[in-house]
Short mmCIF file of all heavy atoms in Angstrom, two decimals:
data_model
loop_
_atom_site.label_atom_id
_atom_site.label_comp_id
_atom_site.label_asym_id
_atom_site.label_seq_id
_atom_site.Cartn_x
_atom_site.Cartn_y
_atom_site.Cartn_z
N VAL B 729 64.23 120.70 137.82
CA VAL B 729 62.99 120.95 137.22
C VAL B 729 63.16 121.77 135.87
O VAL B 729 63.95 122.64 135.88
CB VAL B 729 62.06 121.76 138.11
CG1 VAL B 729 60.75 122.14 137.56
CG2 VAL B 729 61.80 121.00 139.45
N TYR B 730 62.55 121.27 134.86
CA TYR B 730 62.71 121.85 133.56
C TYR B 730 61.43 122.41 132.91
O TYR B 730 60.33 122.06 133.42
CB TYR B 730 63.43 120.86 132.61
CG TYR B 730 62.46 119.67 132.38
CD1 TYR B 730 61.73 119.62 131.28
CD2 TYR B 730 62.62 118.52 133.23
CE1 TYR B 730 60.96 118.51 131.03
CE2 TYR B 730 61.85 117.49 132.95
CZ TYR B 730 60.95 117.42 131.88
OH TYR B 730 60.19 116.30 131.70
N GLU B 731 61.52 123.24 132.04
CA GLU B 731 60.49 123.79 131.26
C GLU B 731 60.77 123.77 129.77
O GLU B 731 61.82 124.26 129.42
CB GLU B 731 60.15 125.22 131.70
CG GLU B 731 59.67 125.33 133.15
CD GLU B 731 59.42 126.85 133.46
OE1 GLU B 731 59.09 127.65 132.49
OE2 GLU B 731 59.65 127.29 134.63
N THR B 732 59.86 123.27 129.04
CA THR B 732 59.98 123.27 127.53
C THR B 732 58.72 123.13 126.92
O THR B 732 57.89 122.41 127.49
CB THR B 732 61.07 122.32 127.02
OG1 THR B 732 61.11 122.40 125.57
CG2 THR B 732 60.72 120.88 127.44
N ARG B 733 58.49 123.65 125.74
CA ARG B 733 57.15 123.55 125.06
C ARG B 733 57.29 122.42 124.02
O ARG B 733 56.33 121.99 123.41
CB ARG B 733 56.79 124.83 124.31
CG ARG B 733 56.46 125.93 125.23
CD ARG B 733 56.04 127.12 124.46
NE ARG B 733 55.73 128.15 125.39
CZ ARG B 733 55.30 129.45 125.04
NH1 ARG B 733 55.39 129.81 123.77
NH2 ARG B 733 55.12 130.43 126.00
N ASP B 734 58.52 121.91 123.78
CA ASP B 734 58.73 120.79 122.88
C ASP B 734 58.39 119.52 123.37
O ASP B 734 58.52 119.25 124.63
CB ASP B 734 60.23 120.80 122.43
CG ASP B 734 60.62 122.00 121.49
OD1 ASP B 734 60.43 121.86 120.25
OD2 ASP B 734 61.06 123.03 122.04
N THR B 735 57.81 118.60 122.59
CA THR B 735 57.53 117.22 123.09
C THR B 735 58.76 116.31 122.94
O THR B 735 58.78 115.34 123.62
CB THR B 735 56.47 116.66 122.36
OG1 THR B 735 56.75 116.73 120.88
CG2 THR B 735 55.16 117.46 122.46
N THR B 736 59.74 116.67 122.12
CA THR B 736 60.94 115.97 122.03
C THR B 736 62.08 116.74 122.57
O THR B 736 62.35 117.84 122.14
CB THR B 736 61.31 115.54 120.58
OG1 THR B 736 60.14 114.77 119.95
CG2 THR B 736 62.52 114.70 120.51
N TYR B 737 62.69 116.20 123.71
CA TYR B 737 63.84 117.01 124.22
C TYR B 737 64.75 116.00 124.96
O TYR B 737 64.42 114.79 125.13
CB TYR B 737 63.29 118.00 125.21
CG TYR B 737 62.36 117.49 126.31
CD1 TYR B 737 62.78 116.99 127.48
CD2 TYR B 737 60.85 117.44 126.10
CE1 TYR B 737 61.90 116.49 128.50
CE2 TYR B 737 60.02 117.07 126.99
CZ TYR B 737 60.44 116.51 128.19
OH TYR B 737 59.73 116.04 128.98
N TYR B 738 65.90 116.49 125.32
CA TYR B 738 66.89 115.66 125.97
C TYR B 738 67.42 116.34 127.38
O TYR B 738 67.55 117.61 127.33
CB TYR B 738 68.15 115.43 125.09
CG TYR B 738 67.73 114.86 123.81
CD1 TYR B 738 67.31 115.57 122.62
CD2 TYR B 738 67.75 113.44 123.62
CE1 TYR B 738 66.98 114.97 121.48
CE2 TYR B 738 67.44 112.86 122.39
CZ TYR B 738 66.99 113.59 121.38
OH TYR B 738 66.67 112.99 120.22
N LEU B 739 67.57 115.52 128.25
CA LEU B 739 67.96 116.03 129.58
C LEU B 739 69.37 115.44 129.96
O LEU B 739 69.56 114.27 129.59
CB LEU B 739 66.97 115.61 130.71
CG LEU B 739 65.59 116.26 130.45
CD1 LEU B 739 64.59 115.50 131.31
CD2 LEU B 739 65.67 117.77 130.96
N PHE B 740 70.13 116.19 130.62
CA PHE B 740 71.47 115.78 130.88
C PHE B 740 71.88 116.10 132.36
O PHE B 740 71.24 116.96 132.96
CB PHE B 740 72.59 116.51 130.03
CG PHE B 740 72.42 116.32 128.57
CD1 PHE B 740 71.44 116.97 127.89
CD2 PHE B 740 73.17 115.39 127.91
CE1 PHE B 740 71.28 116.92 126.52
CE2 PHE B 740 73.07 115.29 126.53
CZ PHE B 740 72.06 116.01 125.78
N TRP B 741 72.82 115.38 132.93
CA TRP B 741 73.49 115.68 134.14
C TRP B 741 75.02 115.70 133.81
O TRP B 741 75.45 114.74 133.23
CB TRP B 741 73.19 114.79 135.29
CG TRP B 741 71.91 115.06 136.02
CD1 TRP B 741 70.65 114.56 135.84
CD2 TRP B 741 71.74 116.10 137.04
NE1 TRP B 741 69.74 115.17 136.67
CE2 TRP B 741 70.33 116.04 137.47
CE3 TRP B 741 72.62 116.88 137.79
CZ2 TRP B 741 69.84 116.77 138.49
CZ3 TRP B 741 72.13 117.69 138.77
CH2 TRP B 741 70.72 117.65 139.15
N TYR B 742 75.66 116.78 134.38
CA TYR B 742 77.13 116.93 134.26
C TYR B 742 77.60 117.16 135.64
O TYR B 742 77.02 117.70 136.47
CB TYR B 742 77.49 118.00 133.36
CG TYR B 742 77.34 117.82 131.98
CD1 TYR B 742 76.15 118.03 131.28
CD2 TYR B 742 78.48 117.34 131.14
CE1 TYR B 742 76.05 117.84 129.97
CE2 TYR B 742 78.32 117.15 129.86
CZ TYR B 742 77.04 117.39 129.24
OH TYR B 742 76.98 117.21 127.87
N LYS B 743 78.83 116.63 135.91
CA LYS B 743 79.52 116.82 137.13
C LYS B 743 80.80 117.69 136.91
O LYS B 743 81.48 117.42 135.96
CB LYS B 743 80.03 115.52 137.69
CG LYS B 743 80.88 115.45 138.92
CD LYS B 743 81.30 114.11 139.45
CE LYS B 743 82.16 114.15 140.56
NZ LYS B 743 82.67 112.82 141.04
N GLN B 744 81.00 118.70 137.77
CA GLN B 744 82.13 119.49 137.60
C GLN B 744 82.99 119.38 138.93
O GLN B 744 82.76 120.01 139.95
CB GLN B 744 81.86 120.95 137.36
CG GLN B 744 83.02 121.82 137.10
CD GLN B 744 82.69 123.19 136.82
OE1 GLN B 744 81.75 123.85 137.26
NE2 GLN B 744 83.46 123.78 135.82
N PRO B 745 84.11 118.59 138.97
CA PRO B 745 84.87 118.49 140.16
C PRO B 745 85.75 119.67 140.25
O PRO B 745 85.74 120.55 139.42
CB PRO B 745 85.74 117.20 139.86
CG PRO B 745 85.71 117.09 138.36
CD PRO B 745 84.44 117.73 137.89
N PRO B 746 86.45 119.79 141.35
CA PRO B 746 87.21 121.02 141.63
C PRO B 746 88.38 121.21 140.49
O PRO B 746 88.76 122.37 140.30
CB PRO B 746 88.01 120.70 142.92
CG PRO B 746 87.02 119.85 143.71
CD PRO B 746 86.43 118.95 142.64
N SER B 747 88.64 120.23 139.68
CA SER B 747 89.61 120.46 138.63
C SER B 747 89.00 121.34 137.46
O SER B 747 89.73 121.87 136.68
CB SER B 747 90.05 119.05 138.02
OG SER B 747 88.84 118.38 137.56
N GLY B 748 87.68 121.42 137.49
CA GLY B 748 87.03 122.35 136.54
C GLY B 748 86.43 121.83 135.23
O GLY B 748 85.55 122.50 134.75
N GLU B 749 86.84 120.60 134.81
CA GLU B 749 86.30 120.05 133.62
C GLU B 749 84.92 119.50 133.85
O GLU B 749 84.72 118.88 134.87
CB GLU B 749 87.26 118.94 133.15
CG GLU B 749 86.73 118.30 131.86
CD GLU B 749 87.83 117.28 131.28
OE1 GLU B 749 88.91 117.31 131.90
OE2 GLU B 749 87.41 116.46 130.63
N LEU B 750 83.99 119.73 133.00
CA LEU B 750 82.60 119.08 133.11
C LEU B 750 82.53 117.69 132.57
O LEU B 750 82.91 117.51 131.45
CB LEU B 750 81.57 119.96 132.36
CG LEU B 750 80.89 121.05 133.18
CD1 LEU B 750 81.78 122.30 133.28
CD2 LEU B 750 79.59 121.36 132.66
N VAL B 751 82.11 116.82 133.39
CA VAL B 751 82.10 115.35 133.00
C VAL B 751 80.61 114.90 132.80
O VAL B 751 79.80 115.18 133.72
CB VAL B 751 82.69 114.59 134.18
CG1 VAL B 751 82.60 113.09 133.78
CG2 VAL B 751 84.10 115.02 134.38
N PHE B 752 80.36 114.40 131.71
CA PHE B 752 79.04 113.90 131.36
C PHE B 752 78.63 112.75 132.23
O PHE B 752 79.49 111.72 132.42
CB PHE B 752 79.06 113.53 129.90
CG PHE B 752 77.86 112.69 129.46
CD1 PHE B 752 76.66 113.25 129.14
CD2 PHE B 752 77.89 111.29 129.30
CE1 PHE B 752 75.58 112.54 128.71
CE2 PHE B 752 76.84 110.58 128.98
CZ PHE B 752 75.65 111.27 128.65
N LEU B 753 77.39 112.70 132.77
CA LEU B 753 76.98 111.64 133.56
C LEU B 753 75.90 110.85 132.91
O LEU B 753 75.87 109.57 132.81
CB LEU B 753 76.45 112.14 134.85
CG LEU B 753 77.47 112.90 135.91
CD1 LEU B 753 76.75 113.32 137.07
CD2 LEU B 753 78.55 111.78 136.26
N ILE B 754 74.84 111.61 132.31
CA ILE B 754 73.72 110.77 131.72
C ILE B 754 73.00 111.77 130.80
O ILE B 754 73.05 112.95 130.87
CB ILE B 754 72.83 110.31 132.76
CG1 ILE B 754 71.74 109.34 132.24
CG2 ILE B 754 72.10 111.53 133.48
CD1 ILE B 754 70.88 108.74 133.16
N ARG B 755 72.43 111.10 129.80
CA ARG B 755 71.53 111.69 128.73
C ARG B 755 70.22 110.92 128.71
O ARG B 755 70.27 109.75 128.60
CB ARG B 755 72.15 111.77 127.46
CG ARG B 755 71.31 112.19 126.21
CD ARG B 755 72.14 112.18 124.99
NE ARG B 755 71.34 112.59 123.83
CZ ARG B 755 70.69 111.72 122.97
NH1 ARG B 755 70.63 110.44 123.24
NH2 ARG B 755 70.05 112.19 121.93
N ARG B 756 69.06 111.62 128.73
CA ARG B 756 67.88 110.98 128.81
C ARG B 756 66.95 111.66 127.68
O ARG B 756 66.80 112.88 127.87
CB ARG B 756 67.25 110.84 130.11
CG ARG B 756 65.85 110.24 130.19
CD ARG B 756 65.79 108.93 129.69
NE ARG B 756 66.84 108.08 130.09
CZ ARG B 756 66.79 107.25 131.22
NH1 ARG B 756 65.73 107.36 131.91
NH2 ARG B 756 67.77 106.54 131.56
N ASN B 757 66.29 110.90 126.82
CA ASN B 757 65.33 111.52 125.96
C ASN B 757 63.87 111.62 126.46
O ASN B 757 63.62 110.82 127.45
CB ASN B 757 65.33 110.95 124.50
CG ASN B 757 64.65 109.52 124.52
OD1 ASN B 757 63.46 109.44 124.81
ND2 ASN B 757 65.39 108.57 124.05
N SER B 758 63.06 112.41 125.98
CA SER B 758 61.76 112.68 126.57
C SER B 758 60.79 111.51 126.51
O SER B 758 59.78 111.47 127.20
CB SER B 758 61.08 113.91 126.01
OG SER B 758 61.12 113.80 124.56
N PHE B 759 61.26 110.59 125.65
CA PHE B 759 60.25 109.39 125.39
C PHE B 759 60.63 108.19 126.44
O PHE B 759 59.89 107.20 126.35
CB PHE B 759 60.17 108.98 123.97
CG PHE B 759 59.70 110.08 123.06
CD1 PHE B 759 60.54 110.83 122.27
CD2 PHE B 759 58.38 110.45 123.08
CE1 PHE B 759 60.14 111.76 121.46
CE2 PHE B 759 57.91 111.52 122.27
CZ PHE B 759 58.78 112.13 121.45
N ASP B 760 61.69 108.33 127.07
CA ASP B 760 62.13 107.35 127.84
C ASP B 760 62.11 107.64 129.42
O ASP B 760 63.07 108.29 129.96
CB ASP B 760 63.54 106.92 127.46
CG ASP B 760 64.06 105.75 128.22
OD1 ASP B 760 63.32 105.14 129.07
OD2 ASP B 760 65.27 105.39 128.09
N GLU B 761 61.00 107.27 130.01
CA GLU B 761 60.82 107.69 131.40
C GLU B 761 61.37 106.60 132.39
O GLU B 761 61.16 106.75 133.61
CB GLU B 761 59.35 107.96 131.71
CG GLU B 761 58.85 109.25 131.15
CD GLU B 761 57.50 109.73 131.66
OE1 GLU B 761 57.47 109.94 132.89
OE2 GLU B 761 56.50 109.50 130.99
N GLN B 762 62.02 105.61 131.77
CA GLN B 762 62.45 104.62 132.67
C GLN B 762 63.66 105.16 133.62
O GLN B 762 64.50 105.77 133.10
CB GLN B 762 63.00 103.42 131.85
CG GLN B 762 63.46 102.18 132.70
CD GLN B 762 63.79 101.00 131.78
OE1 GLN B 762 63.68 101.12 130.52
NE2 GLN B 762 64.15 99.91 132.32
N ASN B 763 63.55 104.87 134.86
CA ASN B 763 64.61 105.30 135.72
C ASN B 763 65.90 104.54 135.48
O ASN B 763 65.90 103.32 135.03
CB ASN B 763 64.26 105.15 137.20
CG ASN B 763 63.04 106.08 137.57
OD1 ASN B 763 62.96 107.21 137.00
ND2 ASN B 763 62.22 105.62 138.55
N GLU B 764 66.97 105.16 135.81
CA GLU B 764 68.30 104.50 135.51
C GLU B 764 69.13 104.44 136.70
O GLU B 764 69.26 105.38 137.51
CB GLU B 764 69.00 105.28 134.34
CG GLU B 764 70.26 104.60 133.91
CD GLU B 764 70.68 105.00 132.53
OE1 GLU B 764 69.83 105.44 131.79
OE2 GLU B 764 71.95 104.89 132.24
N ILE B 765 69.94 103.40 136.83
CA ILE B 765 70.83 103.25 137.91
C ILE B 765 72.26 102.84 137.45
O ILE B 765 72.28 102.08 136.52
CB ILE B 765 70.33 102.17 138.89
CG1 ILE B 765 68.96 102.45 139.52
CG2 ILE B 765 71.41 101.93 140.04
CD1 ILE B 765 68.45 101.37 140.43
N SER B 766 73.25 103.53 137.78
CA SER B 766 74.60 103.25 137.49
C SER B 766 75.46 103.28 138.80
O SER B 766 75.83 104.37 139.23
CB SER B 766 75.08 104.27 136.50
OG SER B 766 76.40 104.09 136.19
N GLY B 767 75.67 102.12 139.24
CA GLY B 767 76.41 102.07 140.55
C GLY B 767 75.74 102.71 141.60
O GLY B 767 74.44 102.46 142.03
N ARG B 768 76.39 103.74 142.29
CA ARG B 768 75.75 104.53 143.42
C ARG B 768 74.80 105.67 142.94
O ARG B 768 74.21 106.30 143.69
CB ARG B 768 76.81 105.14 144.22
CG ARG B 768 77.66 104.05 145.00
CD ARG B 768 78.62 104.65 145.90
NE ARG B 768 79.66 105.51 145.21
CZ ARG B 768 79.62 106.84 145.32
NH1 ARG B 768 78.69 107.46 145.94
NH2 ARG B 768 80.58 107.55 144.65
N TYR B 769 74.78 105.89 141.54
CA TYR B 769 74.07 106.93 140.94
C TYR B 769 72.74 106.39 140.47
O TYR B 769 72.61 105.41 139.82
CB TYR B 769 74.85 107.58 139.73
CG TYR B 769 76.04 108.30 140.07
CD1 TYR B 769 76.94 108.71 139.15
CD2 TYR B 769 76.50 108.54 141.40
CE1 TYR B 769 78.12 109.51 139.32
CE2 TYR B 769 77.70 109.16 141.73
CZ TYR B 769 78.47 109.67 140.66
OH TYR B 769 79.67 110.33 140.93
N SER B 770 71.65 107.26 140.58
CA SER B 770 70.37 106.90 140.00
C SER B 770 69.68 108.13 139.57
O SER B 770 69.87 109.19 140.23
CB SER B 770 69.56 106.05 140.94
OG SER B 770 69.26 106.74 142.14
#
Side-chain angles (χ1 to χ4, degrees):
Chain B
V729 174
Y730 63 91
E731 295 177 30
T732 179
R733 294 179 180 176
D734 290 272
T735 55
T736 301
Y737 52 89
Y738 299 90
L739 294 162
F740 300 79
W741 275 95
Y742 284 85
K743 174 183 179 179
Q744 186 177 35
S747 60
E749 180 177 343
L750 269 81
V751 178
F752 167 81
L753 295 177
I754 190 171
R755 172 182 179 265
R756 176 54 50 87
N757 74 58
S758 54
F759 298 108
D760 183 3
E761 286 194 72
Q762 188 174 359
N763 291 330
E764 184 158 338
I765 299 174
S766 176
R768 295 184 297 106
Y769 295 172
S770 62

